[in-house]
Amino acid sequence: VFVTGGAGFIGRSVCRQLRARGDEVIAVVRDPGRAVDLEALGCEVRAGDLASPEALTGGMRSCDGVIHLAGSYRIGIPARERPQMYEANVGATHRVLEAAISTGVPRIVHVSSVNALGNTHEKIVDETYRRDISQGFLSYYDETKHLAHVAARELISSGAPVLIAMP
């Protein structure tokens, strides 16, 4: 299983659970120094910034699954930092999911956020729910997670083997 964001809060747990059930894990992380515990679990740790489609497809070729967890979570960023957040949350999602599809990976999971749904006004919603974007966004993070979620939904609509998880 190819996991982006393996050194993150959720990523560490996912990698640990995958290894516990016997899966081989390729964990792509920004800083391998933060992934010593993943190596100790038996994960193959690879440094990567998710900017290169070629590097992504090369790493995914032998995989049965891809779990995309990588992203940037910061609230209240200055406008000058928005391009980096867009790239981390939307651009990387496009590249990772498209690389997995083009490589023929049979199961792809995009880990989204409940932020992608916006304010549901206390209504319990399911996968058919669509955010009312006329209500705006709480933060730029909120907006980028929505855009990444929409990108994943569009791939699903086109028949790609993508699932969306929203912890």
Side-chain angles (χ1 to χ4, degrees), residues 37-78:
D37 56 331
L38 297 179
E39 289 178 330
L41 287 172
C43 297
E44 179 183 334
V45 175
R46 294 186 184 175
D49 65 3
L50 310 182
S52 167
E54 296 79 21
L56 290 168
T57 57
M60 294 175 182
R61 286 201 200 291
S62 63
C63 294
D64 298 314
V66 168
I67 301 174
H68 177 52
L69 285 149
S72 175
Y73 174 77
R74 291 182 48 221
I75 303 296
I77 64 170

Side-chain angles (χ1 to χ4, degrees), residues 88-164:
N89 292 342
V90 184
T93 296
H94 279 284
R95 281 190 299 282
V96 169
L97 299 183
E98 289 170 6
I101 292 164
S102 72
T103 308
V105 175
R107 179 60 70 201
I108 306 159
V109 179
H110 167 63
V111 180
S112 186
S113 165
V114 294
N115 278 72
L117 300 177
N119 186 349
T120 65
H121 302 285
E122 300 180 19
K123 180 180 175 189
I124 297 174
V125 299
D126 64 16
E127 63 276 1
T128 63
Y129 181 80
R130 298 298 179 258
R131 178 184 194 141
D132 179 0
I133 59 171
S134 71
Q135 294 181 1
F137 298 96
L138 297 174
S139 66
Y140 194 64
Y141 167 78
D142 187 40
E143 185 174 350
T144 61
K145 291 307 283 187
H146 168 73
L147 293 170
H149 189 89
V150 168
R153 268 199 340 249
E154 288 171 355
L155 290 169
I156 292 167
S157 294
S158 72
V162 176
L163 297 173
I164 299 174

